[in-house]
Amino acid sequence: MRPKTFGGAGGRIPAICSRLEKCGVFADVGCDHGYCAQYMLKNGLCDFAVVSDISLKSLNKAATLLSDYAAAGRVRAVCCDGLRGVGNADLVLIAGMGGEEIVRIFDRSYVPRSFVLQPMKNAPLVRRYLIDRGCAIVEDDLFRDGRFYFIIKGRASGGTPAYSEAELAFGRDSLKNPLLKDYLAEEIAKTSLYLGRAGGEAGRRTLAGKLAFLKGVYSGEIV
């Protein structure tokens, strides 16, 4: 049985926490509120947690939430950019950032031994980066909490079998998730609307190509 999540958080946070595994040192980069570190500590899933954020205001929220654990010597809060200052961790969570920012963080420091990533946009960029770096992607799915979110879980080494164009765009596990059709339906509707309003020929060609791709994945013709 999965450990129970905590009160006060919406569906997105429990969905992320459900992908977190037991480890020695857990790090939440860009922790904001600190709920995920609280989940790990409260459920005995880590011995020690590091919470970091580039915003001191956000970090202070997490420090307040986790003050009892900090007093017990089980949490360290650090105001830093990305992984700088975090040190080595067995499992790193980066959630709520754009794909470019996640890639920048890894490029400027290191790819963690194990990681859970929840990019807010440009998930294909993150997938391509991880595959090119020889990382093992062990889960690449989506979930819904009002809007759709992609979530990627993996390890720094081990490699990933080649992704198809559709898998790179939406995630290997997402293609088997019934939620993907709902996501694609929304994207098809938005892209059709943009196409109808597009003025330039180049822009229309780009949107038409995207629309054909979305419809192909939706119908199962593109996998």
Side-chain angles (χ1 to χ4, degrees):
M1 180 182 295
R2 289 295 306 179
K4 292 183 179 180
T5 52
F6 33 80
R12 173 176 164 266
I13 298 301
I16 292 169
C17 288
S18 71
R19 271 78 177 186
L20 301 176
E21 297 182 351
K22 191 169 185 177
C23 63
V25 178
F26 168 71
D28 185 356
V29 175
C31 63
D32 191 19
H33 35 59
Y35 287 140
C36 295
Q38 181 193 46
Y39 167 87
M40 293 292 285
L41 290 160
K42 184 176 181 179
N43 289 291
L45 294 176
C46 69
D47 300 321
F48 188 83
V50 181
V51 289
S52 76
D53 205 291
I54 197 170
S55 163
L56 183 58
K57 182 179 179 180
S58 293
L59 188 65
N60 285 338
K61 288 190 293 184
T64 299
L65 180 72
L66 303 170
S67 58
D68 288 346
Y69 295 105
R74 298 188 62 198
V75 173
R76 178 167 64 93
V78 56
C79 188
C80 65
D81 183 6
L83 284 162
R84 294 178 171 184
V86 170
N88 292 322
D90 301 304
L91 173 62
V92 171
L93 168 67
I94 305 180
M97 297 186 193
E100 298 98 330
E101 183 66 12
I102 293 172
V103 168
R104 184 190 70 84
I105 287 172
F106 286 171
D107 263 344
R108 293 178 63 180
S109 49
Y110 63 95
V111 177
R113 184 182 301 115
S114 294
F115 52 80
V116 174
L117 312 173
Q118 186 265 293
M120 297 298 285
K121 59 180 181 177
N122 296 319
L125 179 69
V126 178
R127 295 183 185 105
R128 172 57 65 196
Y129 177 85
L130 295 173
I131 292 169
D132 289 347
R133 288 289 298 264
C135 300
I137 298 177
V138 300
E139 183 181 352
D140 194 354
D141 210 344
L142 85 165
F143 64 91
R144 188 172 196 173
D145 178 36
R147 59 166 287 182
F148 292 96
Y149 299 94
F150 290 105
I151 191 158
I152 303 167
K153 179 177 176 179
R155 300 184 299 272
S157 60
T160 300
Y163 265 36
S164 68
E165 187 180 5
E167 288 171 335
L168 191 62
F170 305 114
R172 179 162 283 166
D173 298 303
S174 299
L175 294 183
K176 297 171 283 188
N177 189 331
L179 274 179
L180 184 64
K181 285 222 167 185
D182 296 333
Y183 171 80
L184 290 171
E186 287 191 7
E187 291 298 305
I188 288 169
K190 286 191 293 185
T191 306
S192 298
L193 182 62
Y194 298 151
L195 180 58
R197 295 175 176 175
E201 185 60 32
R204 287 186 60 81
R205 281 199 302 269
T206 299
L207 287 169
K210 179 181 179 180
L211 184 59
F213 177 68
L214 290 168
K215 288 181 175 179
V217 177
Y218 184 90
S219 68
E221 294 177 10
I222 299 175
V223 296

